[in-house]
Structure formats: C-alpha cells, structure tokens
C-alpha cells in the first residue's frame, strides 16, 4: 500500500485549501483513511477520518471547518479545509488502517510522507 499526499501550500488565515491522498496497492474490504498533522513542536494528531461506509470523524479543533470525503479521482481521499487559522500550520499526513474503526496514530498501518500546509496571519 502506498499513500501520496498533495495540495499543501502557503495560504492566508481565513482561506481554504484542499489536500488529496492518492492510494495504491491492495486494500482489504474494510479500511479507514485518516488525516493527521504535526504542528511545529507538537505531536502528530488526528484531524479527520473516513471509513469505507462513509462515516466521518473530526476532533473539535477542526469540526465545521474540515471535511474529509472520497475524492473525485478514483482511489483518492480529499480533505477540504476552510477558514484556516495559523494554528493549522503543519505537515499533513494521510494514513490507512484495516478495519472499520477510526484509530489514532499508533493504530494506522500505512503512512504517506506528508504535505506542508502553512497558514499566515
């Protein structure tokens, strides 16, 4: 399984950005795709997750601003981010895990290399 993130950029506070995660390889019938970010000086944290049957989960810090969904391109998962804040700055990763439960960093099986998002004030 390979995961490749794209779409990271420099954006002003209040702006929007869409990240994409392109997945390839052999997938199990049930899996979850999670988006994580590592802000400068902080631990990697989960910010969005989508299951095979379309359930989505977000922490309060991004709920209402971020939306995870299947991408328009086959085998991609998008993360639409709106009303971006400087504290959203960080390296964004997508990851995959087998099963139908969204799990944390330690439970993910495969990781992409990340894409940088910088939000200027």
């Amino acid at each position: 399984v390979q995961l490749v993130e794209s779409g990271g950029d420099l954006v002003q506070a209040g702006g929007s950005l869409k990240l994409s995660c392109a997945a390839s390889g052999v997938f199990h019938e049930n899996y979850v795709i999670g988006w994580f970010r590592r802000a400068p000086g902080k631990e990697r944290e989960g910010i969005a997750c989508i299951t095979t049957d379309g359930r989505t989960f977000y922490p309060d810090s991004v709920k209402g601003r971020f939306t995870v969904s299947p991408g328009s391109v086959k085998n991609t998962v998008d993360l639409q981010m709106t009303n971006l804040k400087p504290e959203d700055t960080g390296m964004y990763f997508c990851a995959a895990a087998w099963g139908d439960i969204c799990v944390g960093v330690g439970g993910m099986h495969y990781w992409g290399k990340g894409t940088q998002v910088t939000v200027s004030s």
Side-chain angles (χ1 to χ4, degrees):
V1 173
Q2 292 82 42
L3 301 170
V4 179
E5 305 90 340
S6 63
D9 206 346
L10 170 64
V11 63
Q12 287 188 331
S16 300
L17 201 60
K18 186 176 77 172
L19 306 183
S20 290
C21 173
S24 61
V26 179
F27 276 73
H28 293 188
E29 181 176 355
N30 292 314
Y31 60 91
V32 300
I33 297 291
W35 280 96
F36 297 80
R37 72 180 172 202
R38 185 177 64 230
K42 295 186 177 181
E43 298 290 324
R44 198 174 299 194
E45 62 172 338
I47 56 171
C49 180
I50 186 168
T51 66
T52 309
D53 61 0
R55 288 173 291 137
T56 57
F57 300 92
Y58 310 91
D60 289 343
S61 59
V62 306
K63 194 173 294 182
R65 299 189 298 122
F66 290 11
T67 303
V68 60
S69 64
S72 57
V73 177
K74 186 179 179 181
N75 295 335
T76 62
V77 173
D78 292 341
L79 179 68
Q80 179 68 52
M81 306 184 293
T82 63
N83 191 22
L84 283 161
K85 305 175 181 180
E87 52 263 43
D88 293 318
T89 293
M91 184 67 78
Y92 282 66
F93 303 86
C94 67
W98 308 135
D100 57 4
I101 299 175
C102 286
V103 294
V105 171
M108 305 306 285
H109 300 132
Y110 301 95
W111 289 86
K113 294 184 178 180
T115 186
Q116 178 68 36
V117 173
T118 303
V119 184
S120 64
S121 57

